[in-house]
């Protein structure tokens, strides 16, 4: 499972700036609805030579899988990509030409979508250039540079016309519309020549419902019909995608030679075995070994993992992320977690609802070193794997957040003018610029490591007593716990931060977001439904309402615009404490009626006038709804014997150059 930040969600989650200004250039490219960024990999230089080698081999294994995902997404994708790149390289005309510029947008979209469909909406891209212009460019490319694969130029061109210009042909990569044949109407390449009914009948027959440890059926196969029979064709060495898997296996084997410990070596070996045999039992064994190995600093995923790309949710899209432990951040979460009992015992809730022995959760914070396949260029900010339910229950899972990716998002958000537009004055903009990056991370740490882990139910209270309001109230409880302790001197005493104003940045952002700016994610006329958004709203509205007499929070109108003004941060903390005590009481006693009233009164209804105003102001900022990343370049430095003596990292590459380099150097399926 992955944690994605989509579009406005990102800004609403975190309208932050980093405390330290840096010269790093995060902005790489902008086209259509996409913004391409780059990310830093802090700490890479501090890794040992052995660890650097491990990262180097693993990122090679990651990059070699790029073509697999293109082909899984649609069987014409590699052919389209190769043709477009050939036209691009061959083009000698005017670069200001309208058709050429539209062609560049389309090419960049195809790279970003890993094919001809949008990575998020799954809709086919619409080219902005004419078929006539395209034909002229195609005719100018020497035939040897085109992926004709034995077809005549005429047949090849006719196929491209349908694939690129006919909006009804292969219209959606993954179709989820209820009532339609989801296999026949989806353009992905995980099934061919079979109907949904046939696929379901096939898997019904081979699945054993009484098996307590079932494999992930269909995870690494294409389902086709052979001689009138439905069969699975595995992705493996000697099977589908063999040329790419051969390279992946080579680099994984190299990685195994420099593994950090025997357990890590063992799981890498088992992954190689999976690629060689295609056996899903072997994949489960690998997943267990991977989930249980928690000592190493370097970690990675490489394989057919998430199944969002399959309308039936079985076949995994190929992806890889290589990462290593962020030591500073992990130290931070360990400190918080180690002091869990202090926070529990001193919280403002009734003593009857506190745990006598609370255990904090120590979250693993990582920095991504390379993103590939389904995690590139669009990438998650958190991952929780493996996906197999019985493995998660019996052997646990790894949950990580990608700190350097989040940092890059935040840095870029700071440059959009978002805070300047919505914050009350320069003072608040400056407060957030200075402190919000750290305050935001701490809020997340406290929420995850302590908030959810705190408190207890009274004996006999049903854990599902709050029913449909349960998750909103639970998220609210964790948020309130975090907000309350952000302002606690204990955090300064622990050395987690030094400036006592740090918490104010989070308080201001939280209320501004809860009362106003999260409305940018809601369509006009709709109420708030999502649990996290509801909890932020009920907390903010409740505090606004209950602090009215003392003017703790004000809504100020200026030039037709509405702003949040926080007048008294200490009183706001007292309001958080009061509400935390109440939400904990609701949870501990299972008071459904009080919980329902709290959420319905403060957390659901949207004021249409303010909503329209916020949407209009947001639109003017022209923020790209989707973001993705280019990778850094890793270069192995060798001595005269060919031994690696160092691995260096560099960041300068732009989007077009990176895509062309990957197509040139990491394209085993098109050679
Ligand atoms: Zn939560």
């Amino acid at each position: 499972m992955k944690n994605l930040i989509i579009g406005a969600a990102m800004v609403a989650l975190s309208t932050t700036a980093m405390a330290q200004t840096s010269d790093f250039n995060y902005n790489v490219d902008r086209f259509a609805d996409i913004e391409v960024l780059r990310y830093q990999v802090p700490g890479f230089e501090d890794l040992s030579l052995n660890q650097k080698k491990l990262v180097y081999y693993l990122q090679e294994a990651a990059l070699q899988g790029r073509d697999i995902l293109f082909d899984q997404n649609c069987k014409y994708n590699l052919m389209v990509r190769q043709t477009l790149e050939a036209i691009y390289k061959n083009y000698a005309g005017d670069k200001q030409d309208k058709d050429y510029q539209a062609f560049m947008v389309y090419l960049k979209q195809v790279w970003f979508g890993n094919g001809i469909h949008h990575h998020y909406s799954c809709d086919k891209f619409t080219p902005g250039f004419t078929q006539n212009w395209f034909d002229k460019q195609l005719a100018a490319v020497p035939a040897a540079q085109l992926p004709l694969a034995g077809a005549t130029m005429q047949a090849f061109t006719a196929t491209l016309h349908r694939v690129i210009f006919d909006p009804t042909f292969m219209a959606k990569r993954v179709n989820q519309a209820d009532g339609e044949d989801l296999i026949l109407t989806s353009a992905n390449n995980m099934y061919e020549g079979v109907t949904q009914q046939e696929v379901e009948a096939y898997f019904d027959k081979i699945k054993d419902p009484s098996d307590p440890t079932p494999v992930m059926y269909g995870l690494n196969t294409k389902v086709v019909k052979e001689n009138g029979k439905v069969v699975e064709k595995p992705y493996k060495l000697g099977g589908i995608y063999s040329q790419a898997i051969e390279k992946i296996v080579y680099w994984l084997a190299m990685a195994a030679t420099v593994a950090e410990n025997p357990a890590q070596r063992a799981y890498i070996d088992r992954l190689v075995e999976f690629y060689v045999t295609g056996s899903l039992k072997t994949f489960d064994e690998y997943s267990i070994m991977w989930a249980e190995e928690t000592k190493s600093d370097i970690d990675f995923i490489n394989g057919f993992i998430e199944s969002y790309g399959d309308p039936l949710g079985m076949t995994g899209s190929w992806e890889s992320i290589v990462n290593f432990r962020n030591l500073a951040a992990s130290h931070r979460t360990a400190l918080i977690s180690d002091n869990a009992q202090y926070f529990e015992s001193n919280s403002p809730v009734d003593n009857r609802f506190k745990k006598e022995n609370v255990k904090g959760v120590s979250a693993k914070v990582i920095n991504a070193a390379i993103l590939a396949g389904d995690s590139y260029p669009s990438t998650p900010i958190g991952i929780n794997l493996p996906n197999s339910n019985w493995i998660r229950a019996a052997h646990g899972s790894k949950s990580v957040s990608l700190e350097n990716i989040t940092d890059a998002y935040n840095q870029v958000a700071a440059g959009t003018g978002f805070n300047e537009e919505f914050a009350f004055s320069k003072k608040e903009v400056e407060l957030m610029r200075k402190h919000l990056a750290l305050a935001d991370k701490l809020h997340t740490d406290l929420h995850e490591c302590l908030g959810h882990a705190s408190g207890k139910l009274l004996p006999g209270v049903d854990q599902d007593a709050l029913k449909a309001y349960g998750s909103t109230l639970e998220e609210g409880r964790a948020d309130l716990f975090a907000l309350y302790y952000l302002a606690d001197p204990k955090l300064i005493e622990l050395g987690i931060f030094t400036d006592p104003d740090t918490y104010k940045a989070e308080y201001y952002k939280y209320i501004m977001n809860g009362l106003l700016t999260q409305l940018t994610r809601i369509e006009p006329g709709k109420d708030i439904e999502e649990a996290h958004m509801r909890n932020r709203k009920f907390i903010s509205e409740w505090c606004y309402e209950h602090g009215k007499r003392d003017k703790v929070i004000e809504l100020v109108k200026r030039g037709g615009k509405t702003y949040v003004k926080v007048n008294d941060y200490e009183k706001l903390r007292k309001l958080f404490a009061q509400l935390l005590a109440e939400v904990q009481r609701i949870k501990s006693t299972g008071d459904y009626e009080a919980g329902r009233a709290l959420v319905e009164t403060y957390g659901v209804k949207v004021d249409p006038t303010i909503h329209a105003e916020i949407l209009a102001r947001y639109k003017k900022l022209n923020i790209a709804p989707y973001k993705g990343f280019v990778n850094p370049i890793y270069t192995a430095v060798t001595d005269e014997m060919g031994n690696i003596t160092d691995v260096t990292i560099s960041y300068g590459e732009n989007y077009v150059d990176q895509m062309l380099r990957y197509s040139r150097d990491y394209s085993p399926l098109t050679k």
Side-chain angles (χ1 to χ4, degrees):
M1 279 158 274
K2 50 172 99 171
N3 220 331
L4 280 167
I5 284 192
I6 304 293
M10 176 214 125
V11 177
L13 263 178
S14 201
T15 60
T16 73
M18 292 283 281
Q20 64 278 45
T21 48
S22 83
D23 299 332
F24 191 78
N25 184 7
Y26 289 90
N27 300 84
V28 178
D29 210 337
R30 170 95 200 242
F31 51 90
D33 54 357
I34 302 290
E35 179 155 27
V36 180
L37 313 171
R38 59 171 64 85
Y39 60 94
Q40 278 182 294
V41 189
F44 178 77
E45 274 93 355
D46 304 329
L47 297 175
S48 71
L49 176 59
N50 212 54
Q51 289 176 317
K52 286 180 180 173
K53 284 188 194 171
L54 181 54
V55 169
Y56 180 77
Y57 296 143
L58 290 171
Q59 61 91 36
E60 288 292 315
L63 296 178
Q64 292 290 357
R66 176 172 179 249
D67 284 354
I68 296 178
L69 182 72
F70 268 84
D71 192 70
Q72 281 186 299
N73 282 347
C74 176
K75 70 173 181 178
Y76 298 108
N77 280 341
L78 287 172
M79 167 185 158
V80 169
R81 192 188 81 198
Q82 279 180 284
T83 305
L84 298 178
E85 288 175 357
I87 290 175
Y88 171 82
K89 288 182 203 157
N90 196 59
Y91 185 78
D94 178 7
K95 301 224 158 142
Q96 299 309 312
D97 180 71
K98 231 174 76 267
D99 283 300
Y100 177 76
Q101 299 217 327
F103 168 81
M104 281 313 296
V105 170
Y106 184 76
L107 174 56
K108 288 177 178 183
Q109 285 180 301
V110 167
W111 281 329
F112 198 93
N114 291 291
I116 58 172
H117 301 91
H118 193 277
H119 72 285
Y120 188 69
S121 75
C122 297
D123 293 328
K124 196 160 110 171
F125 296 124
T126 311
F129 50 92
T130 65
Q131 191 170 307
N132 232 337
W133 183 90
F134 177 78
D135 287 349
K136 260 209 307 242
Q137 307 311 316
L138 192 61
V141 179
Q145 290 172 27
L146 294 171
L148 292 172
T152 63
M153 191 65 194
Q154 204 182 5
F156 175 73
T157 308
T159 305
L160 282 173
H161 283 170
R162 285 191 81 193
V163 173
I164 297 175
F165 295 100
D166 179 354
T168 63
F169 182 66
M170 300 258 165
K172 209 158 177 93
R173 178 164 60 85
V174 185
N175 180 27
Q176 300 277 22
D178 192 31
E180 294 176 21
D181 186 311
L182 303 182
I183 302 274
L184 294 180
T185 55
S186 292
N188 72 46
N189 190 25
M190 295 158 174
Y191 303 91
E192 197 161 4
V194 285
T195 65
Q196 182 177 348
Q197 222 176 16
E198 287 170 330
V199 173
E200 284 169 351
Y202 168 83
F203 281 108
D204 277 350
K205 218 158 96 192
I206 61 171
K207 280 184 186 172
D208 172 7
S210 65
D211 183 357
T213 60
V215 296
M216 305 278 283
Y217 287 98
L219 187 71
N220 66 335
T221 58
K222 177 172 177 174
V223 180
V224 300
K225 217 183 263 175
E226 244 175 30
N227 308 320
K229 263 185 71 186
V230 177
V231 291
E232 284 181 88
K233 295 274 190 186
Y235 308 143
K236 66 179 192 102
L237 206 67
I240 298 180
Y241 305 139
S242 189
Q243 304 97 306
I245 288 171
E246 199 179 302
K247 304 257 184 198
I248 293 169
V249 162
Y250 170 83
W251 288 110
L252 288 178
M254 292 296 286
T257 65
V258 288
E260 290 182 89
N261 58 52
Q264 187 178 51
R265 180 169 309 134
Y267 83 64
I268 298 175
D269 287 344
R270 198 57 58 97
L271 180 59
V272 168
E273 191 189 324
F274 162 68
Y275 273 127
V276 171
T277 63
S279 158
L280 287 172
K281 272 261 179 270
T282 306
F283 184 72
D284 279 355
E285 288 160 16
Y286 150 77
S287 296
I288 293 167
M289 293 160 80
W290 176 78
E292 291 182 341
E293 197 287 294
T294 53
K295 295 267 188 308
S296 61
D297 286 332
I298 317 283
D299 202 355
F300 73 101
I301 52 169
N302 182 311
F304 305 96
I305 312 285
E306 307 284 0
S307 53
Y308 306 109
D310 173 0
L312 301 187
M314 294 195 293
T315 308
S317 298
W318 192 90
E319 72 170 309
S320 183
I321 296 178
V322 180
N323 63 76
F324 57 89
R325 203 184 295 275
N326 178 321
L327 289 173
S330 299
H331 177 66
R332 197 176 69 216
T333 57
L335 262 183
I336 290 172
S337 187
D338 290 347
N339 287 279
Q341 195 61 53
Y342 165 86
F343 294 106
E344 181 76 356
S345 305
N346 291 284
S347 92
V349 314
D350 190 313
N351 282 331
R352 290 180 302 148
F353 310 143
K354 290 180 183 172
K355 279 189 178 135
E356 292 79 20
N357 278 306
V358 68
K359 234 179 106 47
V361 182
S362 182
K364 187 176 167 193
V365 183
I366 62 171
N367 284 333
I370 207 89
L371 310 165
D374 206 25
S375 286
Y376 169 85
S378 172
T379 197
I381 54 158
I383 339 168
N384 190 335
L385 290 170
N387 280 332
S388 165
N389 284 323
W390 73 264
I391 294 179
R392 295 169 69 83
H395 302 274
S397 63
K398 282 185 191 169
S399 181
V400 297
S401 48
L402 288 70
E403 178 137 312
N404 58 335
I405 299 296
T406 308
D407 280 346
Y409 277 131
N410 289 342
Q411 281 279 8
V412 171
T416 58
F418 187 92
N419 285 348
E420 287 76 1
E421 171 61 36
F422 289 106
F424 176 68
S425 74
K426 283 211 172 81
K427 205 179 96 193
E428 285 80 7
V429 172
E430 185 57 17
L431 181 71
M432 290 191 278
R433 194 192 65 74
K434 265 177 88 176
H435 298 300
L436 194 52
L438 178 60
D440 242 1
K441 285 176 197 166
L442 282 176
H443 180 265
T444 306
D445 294 343
L446 291 164
H447 175 116
E448 302 292 350
C449 303
L450 300 178
H452 284 304
S454 79
K456 68 172 183 194
L457 302 185
L458 289 187
V461 172
D462 177 1
Q463 59 168 350
D464 297 322
L466 303 176
K467 298 188 188 110
Y469 300 99
S471 51
T472 295
L473 289 162
E474 175 56 19
E475 292 307 325
R477 195 176 71 90
D479 261 0
L480 286 162
F481 199 94
L483 288 165
Y484 176 75
Y485 275 115
L486 258 184
D488 198 86
K490 182 77 178 176
L491 294 184
I492 296 182
E493 190 193 310
L494 288 172
I496 291 174
F497 63 85
T498 47
D499 192 318
D501 275 350
T502 305
Y503 81 95
K504 293 180 185 168
E506 183 68 20
Y507 277 25
Y508 186 79
K509 185 212 81 173
Y510 195 92
I511 300 294
M512 175 176 83
N513 183 46
L515 292 181
L516 301 179
T517 52
Q518 72 167 345
L519 295 173
T520 56
R521 296 162 64 190
I522 303 289
E523 283 173 46
K526 293 251 167 80
D527 282 332
I528 296 184
E529 288 174 11
E530 199 272 326
H532 293 83
M533 293 184 73
R534 281 188 166 187
N535 97 61
R536 290 171 194 142
K537 182 160 168 70
F538 92 67
I539 291 173
S540 304
E541 293 280 358
W542 188 95
C543 291
Y544 172 64
E545 210 45 52
H546 288 74
K548 243 182 184 165
R549 211 192 39 192
D550 295 338
K551 289 201 172 168
V552 177
I553 301 164
E554 281 181 279
L555 282 174
V556 181
K557 284 263 184 211
R558 202 173 56 205
K561 294 176 175 181
T562 314
Y563 297 91
V564 164
K565 187 162 177 258
V566 175
N567 291 314
D568 192 331
Y569 286 96
E570 278 165 40
K571 279 199 179 135
L572 180 54
R573 186 184 186 216
K574 292 205 175 96
L575 290 169
F576 287 145
Q578 214 181 318
L579 186 56
L580 171 59
E582 171 61 3
V583 173
Q584 184 62 58
R585 184 197 66 76
I586 290 171
K587 167 128 185 163
S588 291
T589 61
D591 189 345
Y592 172 80
E593 275 312 319
R596 191 190 65 85
L598 188 59
V599 176
E600 290 292 344
T601 310
Y602 298 104
V604 180
K605 287 275 169 275
V606 175
D607 177 333
T609 319
I610 290 208
H611 192 190
E613 177 204 315
I614 298 298
L615 287 177
R617 287 164 71 184
Y618 181 69
K619 198 163 172 238
K620 278 206 184 125
L621 296 173
N622 192 28
I623 295 171
Y626 303 100
K627 294 181 175 62
F629 292 90
V630 293
N631 284 311
I633 304 173
Y634 296 88
T635 310
V637 182
T638 51
D639 62 18
E640 54 273 26
M641 305 290 290
N643 302 312
I644 295 179
T645 54
D646 195 11
V647 177
T648 61
I649 182 169
S650 62
Y651 297 101
E653 199 169 31
N654 74 33
Y655 179 62
V656 173
D657 290 342
Q658 178 150 103
M659 289 299 176
L660 290 173
R661 181 169 66 87
Y662 284 179
S663 295
R664 188 191 68 212
D665 296 346
Y666 300 99
S667 195
L669 299 184
T670 59
K671 291 285 149 46

